[in-house]
Each structure stands twice: as structure tokens, then as C-alpha cells.
């Protein structure tokens, strides 16, 4: 299942958006989830924490999480944090 995310993933708004969207596919039995980040210009530390939490939860349930269409800024952030 592909989740198209739009807007900033930041403390208090975007992190809640991700939290809500990742639960539905798992409840429907989807084990392979792709987060399309083409519409996400910025992720802060809280947003990154939600991405990591989602990855951990999906992995523990035997699934996989992939990230698609990362901006250079998000790619750099993930490289710095070794995610």
C-alpha cells in the first residue's frame, strides 16, 4: 500500500498525520507499506521519530516500510541519523 503524505511532518501536526495514516493499512492486513514523501518538504526531529516508530512497528509485525521520493534535505537528514 502506498501512502501519499503531503505537508511538513513536524511536532504537533505532521507527526500526528503520519501516526493516523500508518495504522489503517496495518489494520487492513497490508504488510508492505510505501511512504511517498514527494509532497513533504520538511521533517523535524518529531517527524523523524514518527517515521522510525512506524518502521519499527511495521517490522515487528513482519512487514516492510519503504520511503519514496525523498528530497535532498530529507535524504541528508536520514544519512546523518543513520536511518
Amino acid at each position: 500500500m502506498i501512502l501519499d503524505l503531503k505537508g511538513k511532518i513536524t511536532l504537533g501536526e505532521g507527526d500526528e498525520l503520519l501516526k493516523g495514516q500508518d495504522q489503517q493499512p496495518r489494520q487492513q492486513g497490508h504488510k508492505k507499506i510505501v511512504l511517498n514523501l514527494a509532497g513533504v518538504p520538511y521533517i523535524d526531529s518529531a517527524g523523524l521519530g514518527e517515521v522510525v516508530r512506524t518502521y519499527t512497528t511495521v517490522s515487528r509485525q513482519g512487514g516492510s516500510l519503504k520511503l519514496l521520493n525523498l528530497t535532498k534535505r530529507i535524504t541528508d537528514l536520514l544519512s546523518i541519523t543513520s536511518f
Side-chain angles (χ1 to χ4, degrees):
M1 170 163 277
I2 299 174
L3 298 176
D4 295 313
L5 302 178
K6 294 188 186 328
K8 295 178 180 178
I9 301 178
T10 59
L11 179 64
E13 54 185 75
D15 61 335
E16 292 297 320
L17 172 72
L18 179 58
K19 189 180 292 184
Q21 283 198 7
D22 78 310
Q23 292 176 0
Q24 182 182 6
R26 289 184 287 121
Q27 290 171 349
Q28 294 174 355
H30 295 283
K31 299 251 183 206
K32 296 180 181 179
I33 299 173
V34 176
L35 296 180
N36 181 5
L37 300 176
V40 178
Y42 180 78
I43 296 178
D44 71 0
S45 60
L48 181 61
E50 277 305 306
V51 172
V52 171
R53 183 199 59 80
T54 301
Y55 172 80
T56 302
T57 302
V58 170
S59 296
R60 285 183 181 161
Q61 294 176 350
S64 64
L65 177 74
K66 303 292 181 184
L67 304 177
L68 178 67
N69 294 320
L70 303 170
T71 64
K72 180 171 177 6
R73 175 178 277 186
I74 295 171
T75 301
D76 291 345
L77 175 65
L78 294 173
S79 294
I80 290 169
T81 59
S82 300
F83 181 68

